[in-house]
Amino acid sequence: MKVIRTKSYEEMSRVAADVIGAQIIMKNDCLLGLATGTTPLGTYAELASRCAAGELDFSKVRTVNLDEYKGLAPDHVQSYRYFMDKHLFDLVNIDKANTRVPDGLAEDSAAMGLAYDEYIESVGGIDLQLLGIGHDGHIGFNEPDDCFTGPTHLVDLTEMTIDANSRLFESRDEVPRQAVTMGMKSIMQAKKILMVVNGEEKKEILKAALYGEITPQVPASLIQLHPDVTVVTDIEDI
Ligand code: GLP
């Protein structure tokens, strides 16, 4: 595992964009696994400005997102599809037909998840998976649990995640209580993992994830077993 410490959020975002940009340059039709949250916003802004400057070409890039809130339509302002369109896809020359986000409206989430994982496998797996980390150690929406779950699946969000994500909704009541998330199988089978983490309040959970016991109670700890992980963080002493 490689840990790159940066002096600021801006530098963290530039370094993360370097890693993703290098992936696109090396394989122009790569499959990128993408994440939402406030942490990757700077990375997406960097990628968009590099694309506008003609330095990156997204025309053949394919993407799969980690997760989506259960019950939110793609055009709902809090949906992760809306987030991705607004912060990346509408700002680069990507073909939207090549971008996928789990379907939060699917009646049968298990069947939707199976098809999602089959798509990932059918195009050769994820070349580079971008991850953030939740305050309780979740990746995607894989919440602390008694076991790791492999396939894309439906999850109940923890109270901590509902609290953390309520800042983005009008009120806590509006935060969906469930989500569909890529499971550990597709994440761990990605050829490379890039994790971005910013802010001192994530220090303890990041330490637990990178150096603590590998346990489903800290889902991000599983990436210790992945052979090609790069963590970029502005947190000191990690
Ligand atoms: C959400 C997403 C995660 C993300 C996490 C942290 O729960 N499902 O993929 O990593 O939030 O978000 P933030 O970067 O805003 O702290």
Side-chain angles (χ1 to χ4, degrees):
M1 177 180 309
K2 189 184 210 178
V3 180
I4 302 175
R5 296 166 190 84
T6 65
K7 292 201 165 48
S8 64
Y9 175 78
E10 290 71 25
E11 187 188 354
M12 180 199 82
S13 302
R14 284 194 299 274
V15 172
D18 288 345
V19 175
I20 298 169
Q23 174 65 68
I24 295 170
I25 290 165
M26 295 297 284
K27 185 179 177 190
N28 65 355
D29 63 346
C30 61
L31 180 63
L32 297 178
L34 296 178
T36 53
T38 40
T39 312
L41 282 174
T43 305
Y44 292 151
E46 272 291 323
L47 291 172
S49 77
R50 291 177 195 194
C51 183
E55 294 166 14
L56 286 178
D57 176 14
F58 281 77
S59 61
K60 296 202 174 96
V61 170
R62 292 168 295 188
T63 68
V64 280
N65 259 79
L66 283 167
D67 46 17
E68 181 58 281
Y69 286 114
K70 177 76 178 169
L72 294 197
D75 60 355
H76 189 290
V77 290
Q78 302 295 354
S79 77
Y80 285 167
R81 160 55 73 179
Y82 187 93
F83 175 103
M84 290 308 303
D85 285 348
K86 180 173 173 192
H87 295 294
L88 186 65
F89 301 151
D90 286 341
L91 309 177
V92 297
N93 65 330
I94 201 163
D95 178 353
K96 286 256 188 96
N98 289 338
T99 69
R100 301 206 174 192
V101 178
D103 181 1
L105 295 181
E107 270 180 34
D108 186 342
S109 296
M112 183 280 299
L114 202 62
Y116 202 71
D117 293 338
E118 277 171 8
Y119 167 74
I120 292 170
E121 273 188 51
S122 75
V123 295
I126 296 167
D127 291 293
L128 174 65
Q129 176 64 55
L130 175 64
L131 296 175
I133 187 170
H135 291 84
D136 58 4
H138 70 243
I139 49 178
F141 268 131
N142 291 278
E143 295 280 33
D145 203 348
D146 293 336
C147 61
F148 293 110
T149 304
T152 297
H153 61 289
L154 182 66
V155 285
D156 294 328
L157 301 180
T158 62
E159 293 299 317
M160 194 190 271
T161 298
I162 294 165
D163 283 342
N165 291 6
S166 64
R167 74 189 192 281
L168 305 168
F169 288 78
E170 295 270 306
S171 73
R172 192 180 189 279
D173 288 349
E174 284 181 27
V175 185
R177 269 37 184 177
Q178 291 185 308
V180 277
T181 183
M182 204 186 273
M184 291 302 189
K185 183 166 174 267
S186 297
I187 295 173
M188 288 298 286
Q189 286 181 345
K191 296 174 189 79
K192 297 188 187 75
I193 289 178
L194 169 65
M195 177 178 268
V196 286
V197 188
N198 96 285
E200 283 296 307
E201 77 276 7
K202 295 259 180 88
K203 185 171 180 168
E204 290 313 315
I205 194 62
L206 183 59
K207 271 191 181 165
L210 302 189
Y211 310 123
E213 184 194 351
I214 298 170
T215 164
Q217 296 300 335
V218 182
S221 63
L222 193 60
I223 68 170
Q224 291 179 39
L225 298 179
H226 191 283
D228 191 343
V229 175
T230 303
V231 179
V232 190
T233 181
D234 63 358
I235 302 172
E236 286 177 27
D237 317 322
I238 280 291

Short mmCIF file of all heavy atoms in Angstrom, two decimals, residues 123-172:
data_model
loop_
_atom_site.label_atom_id
_atom_site.label_comp_id
_atom_site.label_asym_id
_atom_site.label_seq_id
_atom_site.Cartn_x
_atom_site.Cartn_y
_atom_site.Cartn_z
N VAL A 123 -17.07 -6.49 -19.07
CA VAL A 123 -16.15 -5.56 -19.72
C VAL A 123 -14.73 -5.67 -19.14
O VAL A 123 -13.90 -4.79 -19.31
CB VAL A 123 -16.66 -4.10 -19.70
CG1 VAL A 123 -17.93 -3.96 -20.53
CG2 VAL A 123 -16.91 -3.60 -18.28
N GLY A 124 -14.49 -6.77 -18.42
CA GLY A 124 -13.12 -7.05 -17.99
C GLY A 124 -12.77 -6.57 -16.60
O GLY A 124 -11.60 -6.57 -16.21
N GLY A 125 -13.76 -6.13 -15.83
CA GLY A 125 -13.49 -5.69 -14.46
C GLY A 125 -13.08 -4.22 -14.40
O GLY A 125 -12.81 -3.58 -15.43
N ILE A 126 -13.02 -3.73 -13.18
CA ILE A 126 -12.70 -2.31 -12.96
C ILE A 126 -11.18 -2.13 -13.01
O ILE A 126 -10.43 -2.86 -12.36
CB ILE A 126 -13.26 -1.86 -11.59
CG1 ILE A 126 -14.79 -1.95 -11.58
CG2 ILE A 126 -12.78 -0.46 -11.23
CD1 ILE A 126 -15.42 -1.83 -10.21
N ASP A 127 -10.74 -1.16 -13.81
CA ASP A 127 -9.30 -0.90 -13.89
C ASP A 127 -8.82 -0.10 -12.68
O ASP A 127 -7.75 -0.38 -12.13
CB ASP A 127 -8.98 -0.15 -15.19
CG ASP A 127 -9.19 -1.03 -16.40
OD1 ASP A 127 -8.42 -1.99 -16.54
OD2 ASP A 127 -10.13 -0.79 -17.17
N LEU A 128 -9.59 0.89 -12.30
CA LEU A 128 -9.21 1.75 -11.16
C LEU A 128 -10.46 2.11 -10.39
O LEU A 128 -11.41 2.67 -10.97
CB LEU A 128 -8.52 3.02 -11.68
CG LEU A 128 -8.19 4.09 -10.63
CD1 LEU A 128 -7.15 3.58 -9.64
CD2 LEU A 128 -7.69 5.37 -11.28
N GLN A 129 -10.47 1.77 -9.11
CA GLN A 129 -11.63 2.08 -8.27
C GLN A 129 -11.28 3.24 -7.33
O GLN A 129 -10.35 3.14 -6.53
CB GLN A 129 -12.04 0.86 -7.43
CG GLN A 129 -13.18 1.13 -6.47
CD GLN A 129 -14.49 1.49 -7.18
OE1 GLN A 129 -14.96 0.74 -8.02
NE2 GLN A 129 -15.06 2.63 -6.84
N LEU A 130 -12.01 4.34 -7.46
CA LEU A 130 -11.85 5.48 -6.55
C LEU A 130 -12.75 5.25 -5.34
O LEU A 130 -13.94 4.92 -5.49
CB LEU A 130 -12.27 6.76 -7.29
CG LEU A 130 -12.27 8.05 -6.47
CD1 LEU A 130 -10.87 8.43 -6.00
CD2 LEU A 130 -12.87 9.20 -7.30
N LEU A 131 -12.20 5.46 -4.14
CA LEU A 131 -12.96 5.30 -2.91
C LEU A 131 -12.78 6.50 -2.00
O LEU A 131 -11.69 7.07 -1.94
CB LEU A 131 -12.47 4.08 -2.11
CG LEU A 131 -12.62 2.68 -2.68
CD1 LEU A 131 -11.95 1.68 -1.74
CD2 LEU A 131 -14.09 2.33 -2.90
N GLY A 132 -13.84 6.85 -1.28
CA GLY A 132 -13.72 7.70 -0.10
C GLY A 132 -13.87 6.78 1.10
O GLY A 132 -13.85 5.55 0.96
N ILE A 133 -14.01 7.35 2.27
CA ILE A 133 -14.29 6.52 3.44
C ILE A 133 -15.33 7.24 4.30
O ILE A 133 -15.25 8.46 4.49
CB ILE A 133 -13.00 6.20 4.24
CG1 ILE A 133 -13.29 5.19 5.37
CG2 ILE A 133 -12.35 7.47 4.79
CD1 ILE A 133 -12.03 4.65 6.05
N GLY A 134 -16.31 6.48 4.78
CA GLY A 134 -17.32 7.06 5.67
C GLY A 134 -16.79 7.15 7.09
O GLY A 134 -15.79 6.51 7.45
N HIS A 135 -17.48 7.93 7.92
CA HIS A 135 -17.02 8.13 9.30
C HIS A 135 -17.01 6.82 10.11
O HIS A 135 -16.30 6.70 11.09
CB HIS A 135 -17.89 9.17 10.01
CG HIS A 135 -17.69 10.54 9.45
ND1 HIS A 135 -18.35 11.00 8.33
CD2 HIS A 135 -16.87 11.55 9.85
CE1 HIS A 135 -17.95 12.23 8.07
NE2 HIS A 135 -17.06 12.59 8.97
N ASP A 136 -17.83 5.85 9.68
CA ASP A 136 -17.85 4.57 10.39
C ASP A 136 -17.01 3.51 9.66
O ASP A 136 -17.09 2.33 9.96
CB ASP A 136 -19.30 4.07 10.57
CG ASP A 136 -20.03 3.92 9.25
OD1 ASP A 136 -19.41 4.11 8.18
OD2 ASP A 136 -21.24 3.60 9.28
N GLY A 137 -16.21 3.96 8.69
CA GLY A 137 -15.34 3.03 7.98
C GLY A 137 -15.98 2.40 6.76
O GLY A 137 -15.41 1.47 6.16
N HIS A 138 -17.15 2.90 6.35
CA HIS A 138 -17.77 2.28 5.17
C HIS A 138 -17.08 2.71 3.88
O HIS A 138 -16.51 3.79 3.79
CB HIS A 138 -19.29 2.53 5.12
CG HIS A 138 -19.73 3.93 4.82
ND1 HIS A 138 -20.45 4.69 5.70
CD2 HIS A 138 -19.60 4.69 3.72
CE1 HIS A 138 -20.74 5.86 5.16
NE2 HIS A 138 -20.23 5.88 3.95
N ILE A 139 -17.12 1.82 2.90
CA ILE A 139 -16.71 2.16 1.54
C ILE A 139 -17.87 1.82 0.63
O ILE A 139 -18.53 0.81 0.82
CB ILE A 139 -15.39 1.46 1.09
CG1 ILE A 139 -15.40 -0.04 1.38
CG2 ILE A 139 -14.20 2.11 1.75
CD1 ILE A 139 -14.14 -0.76 0.90
N GLY A 140 -18.12 2.70 -0.38
CA GLY A 140 -19.42 2.64 -1.04
C GLY A 140 -20.43 2.86 0.06
O GLY A 140 -20.30 3.80 0.86
N PHE A 141 -21.39 1.97 0.18
CA PHE A 141 -22.28 1.98 1.35
C PHE A 141 -22.19 0.63 2.07
O PHE A 141 -23.15 0.17 2.67
CB PHE A 141 -23.72 2.28 0.96
CG PHE A 141 -24.10 3.74 1.00
CD1 PHE A 141 -24.75 4.34 -0.06
CD2 PHE A 141 -23.81 4.52 2.12
CE1 PHE A 141 -25.11 5.68 -0.02
CE2 PHE A 141 -24.16 5.86 2.17
CZ PHE A 141 -24.81 6.44 1.10
N ASN A 142 -21.02 0.01 2.01
CA ASN A 142 -20.79 -1.22 2.78
C ASN A 142 -20.58 -0.82 4.23
O ASN A 142 -19.49 -0.36 4.61
CB ASN A 142 -19.57 -1.98 2.25
CG ASN A 142 -19.82 -2.57 0.88
OD1 ASN A 142 -20.41 -3.64 0.76
ND2 ASN A 142 -19.41 -1.85 -0.16
N GLU A 143 -21.61 -0.97 5.03
CA GLU A 143 -21.60 -0.52 6.41
C GLU A 143 -20.97 -1.58 7.33
O GLU A 143 -20.91 -2.76 6.96
CB GLU A 143 -23.03 -0.25 6.87
CG GLU A 143 -23.71 0.91 6.13
CD GLU A 143 -23.31 2.29 6.67
OE1 GLU A 143 -22.16 2.46 7.12
OE2 GLU A 143 -24.16 3.19 6.64
N PRO A 144 -20.53 -1.17 8.54
CA PRO A 144 -20.02 -2.16 9.51
C PRO A 144 -21.04 -3.27 9.72
O PRO A 144 -22.23 -3.02 9.84
CB PRO A 144 -19.85 -1.33 10.79
CG PRO A 144 -19.62 0.07 10.31
CD PRO A 144 -20.47 0.20 9.08
N ASP A 145 -20.54 -4.51 9.74
CA ASP A 145 -21.44 -5.67 9.78
C ASP A 145 -20.68 -6.85 10.38
O ASP A 145 -19.49 -6.74 10.69
CB ASP A 145 -21.90 -5.98 8.33
CG ASP A 145 -23.20 -6.76 8.29
OD1 ASP A 145 -23.64 -7.25 9.35
OD2 ASP A 145 -23.77 -6.88 7.20
N ASP A 146 -21.36 -7.98 10.46
CA ASP A 146 -20.68 -9.18 10.98
C ASP A 146 -19.92 -9.93 9.90
O ASP A 146 -19.16 -10.84 10.19
CB ASP A 146 -21.71 -10.14 11.61
CG ASP A 146 -22.32 -9.51 12.86
OD1 ASP A 146 -21.67 -8.63 13.46
OD2 ASP A 146 -23.46 -9.88 13.22
N CYS A 147 -20.19 -9.60 8.65
CA CYS A 147 -19.47 -10.27 7.55
C CYS A 147 -19.33 -9.29 6.39
O CYS A 147 -20.05 -8.29 6.32
CB CYS A 147 -20.22 -11.52 7.11
SG CYS A 147 -21.87 -11.16 6.52
N PHE A 148 -18.40 -9.58 5.51
CA PHE A 148 -18.27 -8.81 4.27
C PHE A 148 -19.26 -9.37 3.26
O PHE A 148 -19.46 -10.57 3.18
CB PHE A 148 -16.85 -8.95 3.71
CG PHE A 148 -15.78 -8.31 4.55
CD1 PHE A 148 -14.86 -9.10 5.23
CD2 PHE A 148 -15.68 -6.94 4.66
CE1 PHE A 148 -13.85 -8.52 6.01
CE2 PHE A 148 -14.67 -6.35 5.44
CZ PHE A 148 -13.76 -7.14 6.11
N THR A 149 -19.86 -8.49 2.46
CA THR A 149 -20.81 -8.94 1.45
C THR A 149 -20.20 -8.73 0.07
O THR A 149 -19.68 -7.65 -0.23
CB THR A 149 -22.14 -8.17 1.57
OG1 THR A 149 -22.62 -8.35 2.91
CG2 THR A 149 -23.19 -8.69 0.59
N GLY A 150 -20.24 -9.77 -0.77
CA GLY A 150 -19.58 -9.73 -2.06
C GLY A 150 -20.33 -8.96 -3.15
O GLY A 150 -19.80 -7.99 -3.71
N PRO A 151 -21.54 -9.37 -3.48
CA PRO A 151 -22.21 -8.77 -4.64
C PRO A 151 -22.77 -7.37 -4.37
O PRO A 151 -22.87 -6.93 -3.21
CB PRO A 151 -23.37 -9.74 -4.91
CG PRO A 151 -23.29 -10.82 -3.92
CD PRO A 151 -22.31 -10.45 -2.87
N THR A 152 -23.16 -6.70 -5.43
CA THR A 152 -23.91 -5.45 -5.30
C THR A 152 -25.24 -5.78 -4.62
O THR A 152 -25.93 -6.72 -5.01
CB THR A 152 -24.15 -4.83 -6.70
OG1 THR A 152 -22.87 -4.51 -7.26
CG2 THR A 152 -24.99 -3.57 -6.62
N HIS A 153 -25.57 -5.03 -3.57
CA HIS A 153 -26.69 -5.44 -2.72
C HIS A 153 -27.35 -4.25 -2.04
O HIS A 153 -26.80 -3.15 -2.01
CB HIS A 153 -26.21 -6.44 -1.66
CG HIS A 153 -25.16 -5.86 -0.74
ND1 HIS A 153 -23.87 -5.58 -1.15
CD2 HIS A 153 -25.21 -5.48 0.55
CE1 HIS A 153 -23.17 -5.07 -0.15
NE2 HIS A 153 -23.97 -4.98 0.90
N LEU A 154 -28.51 -4.54 -1.45
CA LEU A 154 -29.26 -3.53 -0.70
C LEU A 154 -28.75 -3.49 0.74
O LEU A 154 -28.52 -4.55 1.34
CB LEU A 154 -30.74 -3.93 -0.72
CG LEU A 154 -31.74 -3.00 -0.05
CD1 LEU A 154 -31.84 -1.67 -0.78
CD2 LEU A 154 -33.12 -3.68 0.02
N VAL A 155 -28.57 -2.28 1.29
CA VAL A 155 -28.11 -2.17 2.69
C VAL A 155 -29.00 -1.20 3.47
O VAL A 155 -29.56 -0.26 2.91
CB VAL A 155 -26.67 -1.62 2.80
CG1 VAL A 155 -25.65 -2.64 2.42
CG2 VAL A 155 -26.50 -0.34 2.02
N ASP A 156 -29.06 -1.45 4.78
CA ASP A 156 -29.64 -0.48 5.70
C ASP A 156 -28.52 0.45 6.14
O ASP A 156 -27.46 -0.02 6.57
CB ASP A 156 -30.21 -1.18 6.95
CG ASP A 156 -31.40 -2.08 6.59
OD1 ASP A 156 -32.14 -1.74 5.64
OD2 ASP A 156 -31.57 -3.12 7.26
N LEU A 157 -28.73 1.74 6.03
CA LEU A 157 -27.68 2.69 6.44
C LEU A 157 -27.65 2.79 7.96
O LEU A 157 -28.68 2.70 8.63
CB LEU A 157 -27.95 4.07 5.82
CG LEU A 157 -27.99 4.07 4.29
CD1 LEU A 157 -28.27 5.47 3.76
CD2 LEU A 157 -26.70 3.53 3.70
N THR A 158 -26.44 3.00 8.50
CA THR A 158 -26.32 3.15 9.96
C THR A 158 -26.76 4.55 10.37
O THR A 158 -26.77 5.49 9.55
CB THR A 158 -24.86 2.93 10.43
OG1 THR A 158 -24.05 3.95 9.83
CG2 THR A 158 -24.34 1.56 10.04
N GLU A 159 -27.06 4.69 11.66
CA GLU A 159 -27.45 6.01 12.17
C GLU A 159 -26.33 7.02 11.94
O GLU A 159 -26.57 8.18 11.62
CB GLU A 159 -27.77 5.92 13.67
CG GLU A 159 -29.02 5.09 13.99
CD GLU A 159 -30.30 5.66 13.35
OE1 GLU A 159 -30.48 6.89 13.40
OE2 GLU A 159 -31.08 4.87 12.78
N MET A 160 -25.07 6.57 12.06
CA MET A 160 -23.93 7.47 11.86
C MET A 160 -23.89 7.99 10.42
O MET A 160 -23.63 9.17 10.17
CB MET A 160 -22.61 6.76 12.21
CG MET A 160 -21.44 7.71 12.35
SD MET A 160 -19.86 6.87 12.47
CE MET A 160 -19.74 6.62 14.21
N THR A 161 -24.16 7.09 9.47
CA THR A 161 -24.15 7.51 8.07
C THR A 161 -25.32 8.43 7.77
O THR A 161 -25.17 9.44 7.05
CB THR A 161 -24.19 6.25 7.16
OG1 THR A 161 -23.01 5.48 7.41
CG2 THR A 161 -24.26 6.63 5.69
N ILE A 162 -26.49 8.11 8.34
CA ILE A 162 -27.66 8.98 8.12
C ILE A 162 -27.37 10.38 8.69
O ILE A 162 -27.63 11.39 8.04
CB ILE A 162 -28.93 8.36 8.77
CG1 ILE A 162 -29.29 7.06 8.02
CG2 ILE A 162 -30.10 9.34 8.73
CD1 ILE A 162 -30.28 6.16 8.75
N ASP A 163 -26.75 10.41 9.88
CA ASP A 163 -26.37 11.71 10.48
C ASP A 163 -25.40 12.45 9.57
O ASP A 163 -25.58 13.63 9.28
CB ASP A 163 -25.68 11.49 11.83
CG ASP A 163 -26.68 11.16 12.93
OD1 ASP A 163 -27.88 11.41 12.73
OD2 ASP A 163 -26.25 10.63 13.98
N ALA A 164 -24.34 11.74 9.14
CA ALA A 164 -23.28 12.40 8.35
C ALA A 164 -23.84 12.92 7.03
O ALA A 164 -23.50 14.02 6.59
CB ALA A 164 -22.14 11.42 8.09
N ASN A 165 -24.70 12.13 6.39
CA ASN A 165 -25.18 12.53 5.07
C ASN A 165 -26.36 13.50 5.13
O ASN A 165 -26.74 14.08 4.12
CB ASN A 165 -25.54 11.28 4.25
CG ASN A 165 -24.28 10.49 3.89
OD1 ASN A 165 -23.19 10.82 4.33
ND2 ASN A 165 -24.43 9.46 3.08
N SER A 166 -26.92 13.69 6.33
CA SER A 166 -28.07 14.59 6.46
C SER A 166 -27.68 16.05 6.16
O SER A 166 -28.52 16.86 5.82
CB SER A 166 -28.72 14.48 7.84
OG SER A 166 -27.81 14.90 8.82
N ARG A 167 -26.37 16.35 6.26
CA ARG A 167 -25.94 17.72 5.96
C ARG A 167 -26.24 18.11 4.50
O ARG A 167 -26.30 19.28 4.17
CB ARG A 167 -24.44 17.89 6.27
CG ARG A 167 -23.51 17.22 5.26
CD ARG A 167 -22.07 17.23 5.74
NE ARG A 167 -21.13 16.85 4.70
CZ ARG A 167 -20.89 15.58 4.33
NH1 ARG A 167 -21.54 14.59 4.91
NH2 ARG A 167 -20.00 15.33 3.38
N LEU A 168 -26.41 17.10 3.67
CA LEU A 168 -26.65 17.37 2.25
C LEU A 168 -28.15 17.40 1.91
O LEU A 168 -28.54 17.66 0.78
CB LEU A 168 -25.94 16.32 1.39
CG LEU A 168 -24.42 16.21 1.68
CD1 LEU A 168 -23.83 14.98 1.03
CD2 LEU A 168 -23.69 17.47 1.21
N PHE A 169 -28.99 17.09 2.90
CA PHE A 169 -30.46 17.10 2.68
C PHE A 169 -31.07 18.25 3.48
O PHE A 169 -30.43 18.81 4.37
CB PHE A 169 -31.06 15.77 3.17
CG PHE A 169 -30.74 14.59 2.28
CD1 PHE A 169 -29.50 13.98 2.34
CD2 PHE A 169 -31.69 14.10 1.38
CE1 PHE A 169 -29.20 12.89 1.52
CE2 PHE A 169 -31.39 13.01 0.57
CZ PHE A 169 -30.15 12.40 0.64
N GLU A 170 -32.31 18.59 3.13
CA GLU A 170 -33.02 19.65 3.86
C GLU A 170 -33.17 19.29 5.33
O GLU A 170 -33.04 20.14 6.20
CB GLU A 170 -34.42 19.85 3.25
CG GLU A 170 -34.40 20.36 1.83
CD GLU A 170 -34.42 21.88 1.77
OE1 GLU A 170 -35.32 22.47 2.39
OE2 GLU A 170 -33.51 22.46 1.12
N SER A 171 -33.48 18.02 5.59
CA SER A 171 -33.62 17.59 6.98
C SER A 171 -33.20 16.12 7.08
O SER A 171 -33.15 15.41 6.06
CB SER A 171 -35.07 17.73 7.44
OG SER A 171 -35.86 16.72 6.84
N ARG A 172 -32.94 15.66 8.32
CA ARG A 172 -32.51 14.28 8.53
C ARG A 172 -33.57 13.30 8.05
O ARG A 172 -33.26 12.21 7.57
CB ARG A 172 -32.21 14.09 10.03
CG ARG A 172 -31.48 12.80 10.35
CD ARG A 172 -31.22 12.68 11.84
NE ARG A 172 -30.35 11.56 12.15
CZ ARG A 172 -30.75 10.30 12.23
NH1 ARG A 172 -32.01 9.99 12.01
NH2 ARG A 172 -29.90 9.33 12.50
#
